Amino acid sequence: MNTDKNAASEITLQGSQYMLHGFPVLGIPDEERAVKYFSLNPFLPNVQNRCSIECAYCVCHQDRDWHHYPQNFQDVSSPVDLLDLLLDYIFATQEGQKGFPISLCDYSDPFIPAHRERVLSILDALIDRKAANIVYITTKVHPGQSFIERLKTTLERPHSLRVTVFVSLPPLKPGYEQASIQSRVQLLQDLVNLGIPCCWYLRPLVEEWFDEALMWQLARTLLPHVSRHVILSGLVMSEEIEASLLKQELIVPEWDRTQLGRKQYLSLEFESKVRSILSTVASEQNISLGPVMGHRLCGTNGNHAYGCLICAKQNRYCQLFQLYHYGETIATEDNQRLKTLLRQNSVKVSSREPSTEECQ
């Protein structure tokens, strides 16, 4: 364990968040909020580190103490060993030791210039520690071909990590986000060409913002590359996000105010419509469409043995994924058998929901 008491004394634990100068540098798994991953942000949100994309629906809008005030961090320094200290915190927990997911630079974008070297440093540090965790890199930015080639080189080091780049690319009407659609399409294609595990992260899917024509276009462009790596996800809403939307004269979707700061589920009718578009395009192009998962933890499908959001077991494929393919769940100790079955392209069976008992 890191013993730099001066550095450690600057960090305080508030609920499930380790805070540095009022900024959440590390979020830990929290049963009360149903959060089952670590949010690792080893930086302070000054003008350089802060995300500049400014999505109208960004969850950071609810963090009024720092998101809109990067100037407050201009003259504040973080400990030089901040990353090592935060990794110590992670691996002092049972969840960290069991390989629970670590999400990088959530309160920014890990592929903006300020974070690119940081991301490689984090991966190197995890590899040096012989960690075996799932790692999320969620982005809307193409960092350039030279960087993703360096990322590939890093991931070619012998390691036990399970790293996936989540490219967030929702089919939205104009005004809700500014990030280039074409650059994200290109990023997915480039990642696939280099063999870097990635997925098309279809979020936030909000019916009132949905651009159906764009959805058809994206499906036809991307499914040849990521047909087995598609995730659906809803929107996190809060009063602050609502205020951001109203200020920009954008549509505020209907949302459950009892679920403040939590993911809003897609309506079954709307989700069926999105899935139908994906299925139709896959059929048109004679593409085998993998299970389109409805949440993040197991959404990378065939990339890795990702943990199940329902039962929180981290060392096997999600039960929903297993049931989609085989109509049954496969015991944890037989995870290699599941990988073999996947490679054999077993016949797909009807999907069903796992029972609560199966997920215990």
Side-chain angles (χ1 to χ4, degrees):
M1 173 66 84
N2 191 301
T3 58
D4 185 340
K5 295 182 180 179
N6 290 330
S9 66
E10 297 181 26
I11 299 175
T12 59
L13 180 61
Q14 299 178 20
S16 61
Q17 303 280 344
Y18 282 96
M19 310 292 287
L20 176 63
H21 302 300
F23 176 69
V25 289
L26 176 64
I28 60 177
D30 183 343
E31 201 62 39
E32 182 177 340
R33 295 188 300 124
V35 174
K36 295 185 174 70
Y37 63 93
F38 296 90
S39 176
L40 179 61
N41 306 286
F43 60 89
L44 291 174
N46 56 28
V47 174
Q48 181 182 26
N49 290 322
R50 181 179 180 273
C51 182
S52 57
I53 299 175
E54 292 292 353
C55 298
Y57 57 86
C58 181
V59 69
C60 292
H61 288 304
Q62 69 191 53
D63 298 296
R64 65 187 77 190
D65 292 331
W66 54 266
H67 180 68
H68 296 288
Y69 303 99
Q71 66 274 14
N72 292 349
F73 297 90
Q74 284 297 114
D75 300 320
V76 179
S77 61
S78 59
V80 293
D81 56 350
L82 178 61
L83 173 59
D84 285 335
L85 182 58
L86 298 179
L87 292 181
D88 285 344
Y89 288 154
I90 289 174
F91 294 113
T93 68
Q94 290 187 351
E95 293 87 351
Q97 295 166 18
K98 288 180 179 179
F100 272 47
I102 301 172
S103 186
L104 309 188
C105 304
D106 280 338
Y107 293 116
S108 186
D109 187 299
F111 278 175
I112 65 171
H115 296 314
R116 292 171 192 168
E117 295 300 324
R118 183 171 285 125
V119 166
L120 297 180
S121 297
I122 293 171
L123 293 174
D124 280 331
L126 289 169
I127 293 171
D128 290 342
R129 288 177 179 241
K130 296 181 170 52
N133 297 73
I134 297 163
V135 177
Y136 300 148
I137 301 174
T138 305
T139 185
K140 295 180 181 178
V141 175
H142 195 313
Q145 185 69 20
S146 62
F147 175 82
I148 59 175
E149 288 176 357
R150 291 180 61 203
L151 176 61
K152 177 179 173 61
T153 298
T154 297
L155 296 178
E156 286 174 341
R157 292 183 58 191
H159 68 87
S160 300
L161 297 174
R162 289 167 285 169
V163 179
T164 296
V165 179
F166 289 72
V167 180
S168 176
L169 181 49
L172 303 182
K173 296 174 181 177
Y176 295 92
E177 60 177 30
Q178 306 303 319
S180 167
I181 292 172
Q182 186 52 48
S183 70
R184 285 178 280 173
V185 168
Q186 188 64 53
L187 174 58
L188 277 166
Q189 294 171 340
D190 291 342
L191 291 168
V192 170
N193 288 339
L194 286 175
I196 297 174
C198 62
C199 61
W200 178 14
Y201 195 17
L202 259 171
R203 58 101 188 199
L205 282 174
V206 177
E207 189 165 10
E208 295 92 330
W209 306 349
F210 184 63
D211 186 331
E212 184 171 344
L214 179 56
M215 178 67 198
W216 283 100
Q217 177 187 335
L218 290 174
R220 291 189 170 109
T221 302
L222 288 174
L223 285 189
H225 304 274
V226 294
S227 63
R228 307 189 71 78
H229 308 282
V230 180
I231 308 171
L232 304 182
S233 180
L235 174 70
V236 173
M237 279 296 295
S238 67
E239 292 175 355
E240 290 84 0
I241 295 173
E242 182 176 77
S244 168
L245 294 168
L246 289 172
K247 183 178 181 180
Q248 298 176 66
E249 299 183 343
L250 298 170
I251 296 172
V252 176
E254 293 186 11
W255 62 289
D256 184 353
R257 293 177 183 275
T258 68
Q259 298 296 307
L260 190 71
R262 291 174 178 263
K263 186 85 47 103
Q264 304 287 309
Y265 292 108
L266 306 178
S267 71
L268 293 178
E269 182 179 356
F270 178 49
E271 183 172 340
S272 295
K273 180 178 182 178
V274 174
R275 289 178 179 275
S276 176
I277 293 172
L278 292 167
S279 297
T280 300
V281 171
S283 178
E284 287 176 356
Q285 301 191 5
N286 195 26
I287 292 171
S288 176
L289 183 66
V292 179
M293 303 304 297
H295 52 75
R296 189 182 195 207
L297 279 180
C298 54
T300 57
N301 301 349
N303 278 337
H304 302 293
Y306 267 41
C308 178
L309 183 66
I310 298 172
C311 68
K313 293 177 180 176
Q314 298 295 313
N315 55 349
R316 64 174 177 183
Y317 284 96
C318 170
Q319 291 192 11
L320 290 174
F321 180 61
Q322 297 177 33
L323 291 168
Y324 181 95
H325 277 280
Y326 313 113
E328 62 176 336
T329 58
I330 295 175
T332 303
E333 58 270 18
D334 292 331
N335 196 51
Q336 189 58 45
R337 173 176 163 243
L338 178 58
K339 293 180 180 179
T340 301
L341 287 172
L342 286 171
R343 286 195 294 268
Q344 293 173 347
N345 293 320
S346 296
V347 177
K348 199 181 303 180
V349 297
S350 299
S351 175
R352 68 182 179 88
E353 293 290 318
S355 70
T356 302
E357 292 178 355
E358 289 172 326
C359 284
Q360 298 304 313

